[in-house]
Amino acid sequence: MEDETKNNWGSTAWAHLSSTRQHSPLIQCITNFVSMDFMANTLLAAGASPAMLHSLQEIPDFTPNINALCINIGTLTADWLPAMKMAAEVAVKAGKPWVLDPVAAGASKFRLEACIELVKLKPCVIRGNGSEILALFRASVGSTKGVDSMHDSTDAIEAAKSLAEASGCIVAVSGAVDIVTDGKRVVGARNGVAMLQKITATGCSVTALIAAFVAVDPVHAFEATATALSIFGVAAEMAIDLSKGPASLRMHLIDSLYGLDHSTVLKRVNITSL
Ligand SMILES: Nc1ncnc2c1ncn2[C@@H]1O[C@H](COP(=O)(O)OP(=O)(O)O)[C@@H](O)[C@H]1O
Ligand SMILES: Cc1ncsc1CCOP(=O)(O)O
Ligand SMILES: [Mg+2]
C-alpha cells in the first residue's frame, strides 16, 4: 500500500513538472530583493515563465493575464504593500490562484499585520517555515530568528491545520519534512537536503515553484503544493553529490531541476500521509 501511494505521488509529481514544462505558466512574483534572481531562475529551470513585476501602475493591465501570482513579504516596506494587495485582489477577480510566503511573519507587528491582511485576500496556498506558520496561527510577534525558523516543521502541524481550516487555504510548512495540509488531510514530503538552509531564498523559490504547479493544476492545489516541495527536494538530492558547498549546490540545484527525468522522479519522490 505504501509503495502504491509512493508511486501515485511520483506520477503526480511527474505530471505537474511535465505540465509546467509544456505550458510554461506565467508567474508574477512580487518578492523580496534577496530572492528575485534565484526565484526567477528556479521558475525558468522548471519550465515556467517568471515576471518580477510589482508596480501598482502595471497591475491592472498585467495581472489579469498571468497564470498565478506569488507574493513574498521578505523585504516589506509600507510602499510595497498596496501593490501586493491590489495584485492579490486582481488575481482573485480574474480567477488566478495566488500563493503567499509570509517571510519572518513573527519578526515585527508591521509584518504580522501585513500577513494577516493578505491572508484575508484569499491566497490559494500559504508556505512558510515552522516559526512563520506558528506566528501567523497565533497572530503574535516573537519566536523567530529573523527569516530563519526556530522550530521544526512538525512543531507546527496543528497550527497549520487550524490556519488552513480558518483561512480556507492550503498551508505548507517547510523543513526536514515538508508538511502540507488543507485542514483535514496532512501529508509529509521527505525530500531535500539540510544544506538548502545555507542558501538564501530557497524557501522563497520553492514557494514560487508551488505557484507554478498550482497554475498548471489549480483544482488540485493540495497535491500541487506537495509535489512542488518534493520536486525541489529531489533536485537538491541530485545536486548535493556534485556540490562542494552552498554556492555550488545553488548552481547544481538549478541544473538538476532543469534536467530531472521521469525515472528519477518516480524513484525519489517521497510523500506520505501523516
Ligand atoms: N533539514 C532539512 N533537510 C532537508 N531539507 C530541508 C531541511 N530544512 C529545509 N529544507 C528544505 O529547504 C527548503 C527551504 O525550506 P526552509 O529553510 O524551511 O524555508 P525558509 O528558507 O523560508 O526558512 C525547502 O525545500 C525545505 O524542504
Ligand atoms: C535574508 C533575507 N532577508 C530578508 S528576505 C531574505 C530572504 C529569505 O529567504 P528564505 O525565506 O527563502 O530563506
Ligand atoms: Mg522563507
Side-chain angles (χ1 to χ4, degrees):
M1 183 61 197
E2 196 171 323
D3 273 355
E4 200 182 304
T5 309
K6 196 174 162 188
N7 285 341
N8 287 342
W9 276 110
S11 301
T12 305
W14 178 250
H16 287 145
L17 180 60
S18 302
S19 189
T20 301
R21 288 172 175 171
Q22 189 188 340
H23 297 292
S24 193
L26 174 58
I27 311 300
Q28 181 180 5
C29 305
I30 304 183
T31 191
N32 67 76
F33 299 112
V34 185
S35 70
M36 285 180 183
D37 177 272
F38 192 51
M39 183 183 288
N41 278 304
T42 298
L43 286 169
L44 285 168
S49 177
M52 302 355 227
L53 270 74
H54 57 254
S55 162
L56 200 56
Q57 287 73 16
E58 291 179 292
I59 287 166
D61 290 336
F62 183 73
T63 304
N65 300 315
I66 62 171
N67 298 112
L69 168 70
C70 176
I71 296 183
N72 175 307
I73 62 147
T75 49
L76 188 64
T77 55
D79 50 333
W80 275 54
L81 196 50
M84 291 177 177
K85 288 185 183 170
M86 184 196 271
E89 280 167 353
V90 172
V92 168
K93 200 165 168 216
K96 309 299 166 76
W98 77 275
V99 176
L100 175 66
D101 191 325
V103 180
S108 69
K109 192 162 170 277
F110 168 63
R111 249 167 220 271
L112 183 64
E113 284 174 358
C115 285
I116 290 169
E117 286 171 30
L118 286 165
V119 170
K120 288 185 189 146
L121 300 177
K122 300 267 166 244
C124 174
V125 183
I126 304 169
R127 193 295 309 169
N129 62 38
S131 294
E132 290 160 351
I133 297 302
L134 283 165
L136 258 187
F137 162 68
R138 294 174 181 154
S140 74
V141 171
S143 292
T144 187
K145 191 176 178 188
V147 303
D148 291 330
S149 188
M150 286 172 53
H151 299 89
D152 291 336
S153 55
T154 45
D155 297 339
I157 294 180
E158 291 310 316
K161 284 174 76 175
S162 302
L163 183 60
E165 284 273 11
S167 62
C169 312
I170 306 300
V171 176
V173 195
S174 57
V177 185
D178 297 317
I179 310 289
V180 181
T181 182
D182 60 4
K184 292 187 174 64
R185 293 173 289 175
V186 186
V187 295
R190 286 184 177 77
N191 295 107
V193 298
M195 203 186 282
L196 283 171
Q197 296 166 96
K198 297 292 179 195
I199 310 171
T200 192
T202 49
C204 306
S205 300
V206 81
T207 303
L209 190 63
I210 291 169
F213 280 20
V214 169
V216 295
D217 194 5
V219 296
H220 297 114
F222 174 80
E223 288 81 358
T225 301
T227 60
L229 285 156
S230 178
I231 287 286
F232 191 79
V234 169
E237 290 168 12
M238 302 309 289
I240 194 77
D241 295 338
L242 306 166
S243 307
K244 292 185 183 149
S248 46
L249 176 59
R250 186 180 190 274
M251 178 184 79
H252 289 302
L253 175 57
I254 298 290
D255 286 353
S256 297
L257 183 56
Y258 179 78
L260 266 192
D261 60 29
H262 187 220
S263 66
T264 306
V265 170
L266 289 193
K267 215 182 310 161
R268 288 199 172 247
V269 162
N270 186 358
I271 302 172
T272 53
S273 296
L274 295 181

